[in-house]
Amino acid sequence: MNSRTVTLTIDGRSLTAPAGATIWEAARSAGIDIPTLCHDPKLEPVAVCRVCVVDVENARTLPAACIRKVEEGMAVRTDTDRVRRARRTLVELLEAGQPPGDDRRKAADQDELARLGVQLRSDPSRYVAACSNPPMPPDLSSPVIAVDLNACILCDRCIRACDDVQVNDVIGRTGKGSETRIAFDNGLPLGESSCVSCGECVATCPTGALTDKRLVDSAANGPDAVPNGSGTRRVDSICPYCGVGCGISYHVRNGRIEGVTGRDDTHTEGRLCVKGRYGYDYTHHPQRLTKPLVRREDAYPKRPLSADFEDYRDFRRSLRSPEWNDRIREVFREAEWDEALDLAARRLLEIKNTLGPGALAGFGSAKVTNEEAYLFQKLIRVVFGTNNVDHCTRLCHASSVAALTEAIGSGAVSNAFQEVLETDVIFVIGSNTEDNHPVAASYMKQAVDRGAKMIVLDPRRPTIADHATRYVRFKPGTDIALLNGLMHVILREGLQDRDFIARRTERFETLEPFLARYTPEMASRITGVPPSVIEDVALEFGRVERAMIFWGMGISQHVNGTDNARALISLCLMTGNIGRRGTGLHPLRGQNNVQGASDVGLIPRYYPGYQSADDPEVRARFEEAWGTALDPDSGLTVVEIMHGALDGSIAGMLMMGENPFLSDPNMNKVRKALQQLSFLVVQDVFLTETAEFADVILPASTAAEKRGTYVNTNRMVQIGRQAIEPPGEARLDGDILIDLANRMIRMEQGESGPRWAYDGPESVWEEIVGLTPIFEGITYAAMERDTVVWPMEEPVLFTGSFPLGRGRFTPVSFAPPDELPDHAYPFVLNTGRVLEHWHTGTMTRRARALDAISPEPFVEMTPGDLARLGVEDGCPVAVSSRRGAITLKAMASSRVADGNVFIPLHFKEAAANILTNDALDPDGKIPEFKFCAVAVKPVPSSD
Amino acid sequence: MATPLEFTEAARERAAKILDRYPAEYRKSAVVPLLHLAQEEWGHVSPEAMACVARLIGCSPVKVAEIATFYPMFNREPVGEHVLAVCHTLPCALTGCGSVFDHLSEKLGIGLGETTADGRFTLRKSECLAACDRGPVLLVNRRLHTHVSPEKVDEILTELEKG
Ligand code: SF4
Ligand code: SF4
Ligand code: FES
Ligand code: FES
């Protein structure tokens, strides 16, 4: 590309613009507004509407400014009579075809065509008679999007949004002439098509053709229900769901969130997925906790409240049912904050005094802000007096982080996922990216459209494989053999980066001889992948200049999860694919703030900023800063704490926003563990399955109700802003923690003890930054101004060296999973997520749209296996393991291989974690969620 | 989930031959010949047939639908044994395609897009068939008839009844 500029005049003003810019872009940067309709700066121009025409001196016709490039000496006029007439006529013609009396979008202030009409004082009446197309019925089959083809002006924006931006390829233009229509898939109703409800098309549609279905519903419910421009406040924030951390705006009216849109000015350029765009209403769900609750005297011994709510239909009804509230009242009574907090403080201290601080533990959450996560771990370490503090990172990337820390000295993602647009090969292993990191996946798919190769390796074919240049299915649990086989071929072919290995790594000599036996043939015997495919993948990966490696839970959630990650790291180091743009190691982080929660010390062995709690010097520094002696013992991790609860060594717990009852492996064991605890405080926004075992429940706040910072998977620190007030007496999580800390300190040390006093999240952040070198220089002011990654100004890590100096190779051998299928349990169970739901479903199952799209649990099996069992697609089956059994609907799918089944983990009425194995990876302490042996049996259908 | 429509064994072999003519990275270019094959196989190109072709060439179904609905020679609904399409673009309109269409409609007792009860004839209109200098133009199955008049229509119909 050249950086030349050209000089031209627009409306008599002389200006310069970069060569290659369009007239529209040049005008815009000079503050001259040219109306557009089919153009959206995020999309490639197609110039089909001609509304943007301008007068160019000596040009024969009026060119379209959105596509015509500037030229040296060009003289452009945007306001001549000819231009105005042409524009008005075009707009009138388009308006004449609009459905009459349809003011939905006008009310919502989103109808660009209507706006343009007003602006140009159009009068479509003279053309109306000529538009005699019979009206088409609306398509209301999608739970979130209303389609009214009568309003469609065929601007192609939705097609480009769906194809080129989100790369879902659902919408097209079918037919021709006056019969031309946009269509979904092979002409299906939208709700039956492959649409994933990302809403990108709705966001760009300039008419009422594609609208938020809620608007249509509420139009039917009277005008008051329609959100409109007036009285609606926009609050810029961050999506509360996954680690992609998309920028969102809440639209708030009368204290309620009326909608969510993407923010164009953020790193995700306005893109969202169905959760981010349509999953916001959980925050207004009637089951929100609004008053502290205390277990009634007669409600001991504890048992799960929802035990006989197991049928899913009842479960879904329980989400709305008043009966459910009656049940809660039988077990818990409402209390004042003072009473609840004093009770919590007193009982926790009793345990501390009788059994020692090690009998207490806390599970924090990766959903809360950095400030809240920091306060939580500080409360546990300083006031509880123990390092037994952990959160769900343990269940996702603990093994990846262990391997990364050992190999290069840092668990952080090295490069932003957007750099896929600059790479040659995208290597995706053990990641269902389209469902779990949808917006990151959109960049990957875009990169493939622009010529990058994408190799997807996974035992269960993830949907992103449909966009890959190559998909490799291998036997579950054989990742190491596969990766070793790839490395073997890379060495055999001499494709390793000798210079990088010599300059930046050590212990390569241990790896080379070790890999000798992993010939493609040997790897093939273990993995089931043909040797030639192993060779081809190795060549494709090894020959390119730049490759990026992405992985998810498919790598980490195994008893050898750390070894899996070690092998990936070796593959990366050996080919020198790190330290440059378009390369790197990217363990895709799951929760919106799992990176941040770990960064601020919500993990047992590290204080904020990964400063080792085992290092006496570091400990001394934190003792000084926090003004108290700290626990010298390394703390326990999530599953270890649960084991402790079971054997009685852990007696009291505080849980903030975690639901181990559903999220941890081997649920029956977790149930016993929770029952066994002598005192459990749960701080949450809903009465989770875990809270059913609580002694005290503290009503907390959702992301939309608070201000604070979050760190996404790219290490980007972003501000989430408060859009609404917490309901009832619910309080901000940070305030609850501070209050509890102060009460406990007062009870222990009397009035003379120190007091925690903070002036909002900013002051907590300042304290964090003071103790955490990785955040140096990052302030709220800096985040308000621009996107910030930690370390400041370093989007690409490890350009010159690693925190350990040299990167370290660790050879790893293949070892089979913990529990192999056998005669009694012949199937392999894999667990994971679906696009619409989030973890234990506490939020998403209470979001109307998400529940409507994905209402019930299922087990995915191949049509062949179903036929062998004699079960019809959609019929119930019983799935059992050595640890328990569930009943759910069978779903035929070729995503899994024969002999394998997949169950999403979100559904309590058929909880996958009743079945899973709690065997742990020795280094990461992560359970083997991705592999256990199960049996599947038909059950007679009840109806 | 209904089982997706699949080609018969014989048609699959022909599809493979067609695909062989294209380099692997241009598989998608086989879309038109494969749609013709689908039409031969099932008489018309249903949405399920479009999805079947999409699977064969590895693209999204809407990409096939775009093409299948653009070309009028792909029947989107089941059709009669003979498909009669009267060109109704301007040059043919000026030379009298209207009366040709009306005549056909009356003789066959069916309207636009309809098929006779015995399943013999389907009546259609078509966009320009690229013989504007010889209008009115009538396409009968794959054969083009030019300078068509109501009388000539009768001849053509008699011919078809016989054959
Ligand atoms: S919602 Fe998303 S996937 Fe669905 S049609 Fe629109 S852009 Fe495509
Ligand atoms: S991709 Fe993740 S962060 Fe973005 S909208 Fe979806 S859930 Fe939210
Ligand atoms: S906006 Fe330029 S042609 Fe439509
Ligand atoms: S107009 Fe009929 S053939 Fe061209």
Side-chain angles (χ1 to χ4, degrees), chain A residues 233 235 237 250 252 255 257 703-706 721-725:
Chain A
R233 210 159 39 88
V235 181
S237 194
Y250 290 112
V252 185
I257 301 172
E705 292 156 7
K706 58 177 73 151
R721 297 182 186 79
Q722 181 179 10
I724 50 172
E725 292 298 324

Side-chain angles (χ1 to χ4, degrees), chain A residues 285-287 309 314-330:
Chain A
H285 195 276
Q287 287 182 341
F309 263 69
D314 275 353
F315 174 74
R316 291 188 71 214
R317 212 184 305 135
S318 83
L319 290 176
R320 282 157 205 93
S321 96
E323 265 166 70
W324 175 242
N325 294 333
D326 295 343
R327 253 162 204 268
I328 295 174
R329 261 179 248 117
E330 281 164 27

Side-chain angles (χ1 to χ4, degrees), chain A residues 159 163 169-176 183-187 873 892, chain B residues 1 47-48 50-51 60-63 65-66 69-72 76 127:
Chain A
I159 300 177
D163 271 24
D169 300 335
V170 177
I171 316 185
R173 183 187 258 257
T174 60
K176 71 173 160 195
F184 311 107
D185 284 356
N186 41 347
D873 187 15
Chain B
M1 192 172 61
E48 293 72 31
M50 295 176 201
S60 57
V62 75
K63 294 277 184 301
E66 286 181 336
T69 58
F70 183 83
Y71 292 113
R76 312 256 303 284
E127 298 296 334

Side-chain angles (χ1 to χ4, degrees), chain A residues 208-227:
Chain A
L210 298 170
T211 50
D212 189 336
K213 192 170 169 200
R214 229 170 25 97
L215 300 188
V216 182
D217 295 347
S218 47
N221 299 336
D224 277 354
V226 183

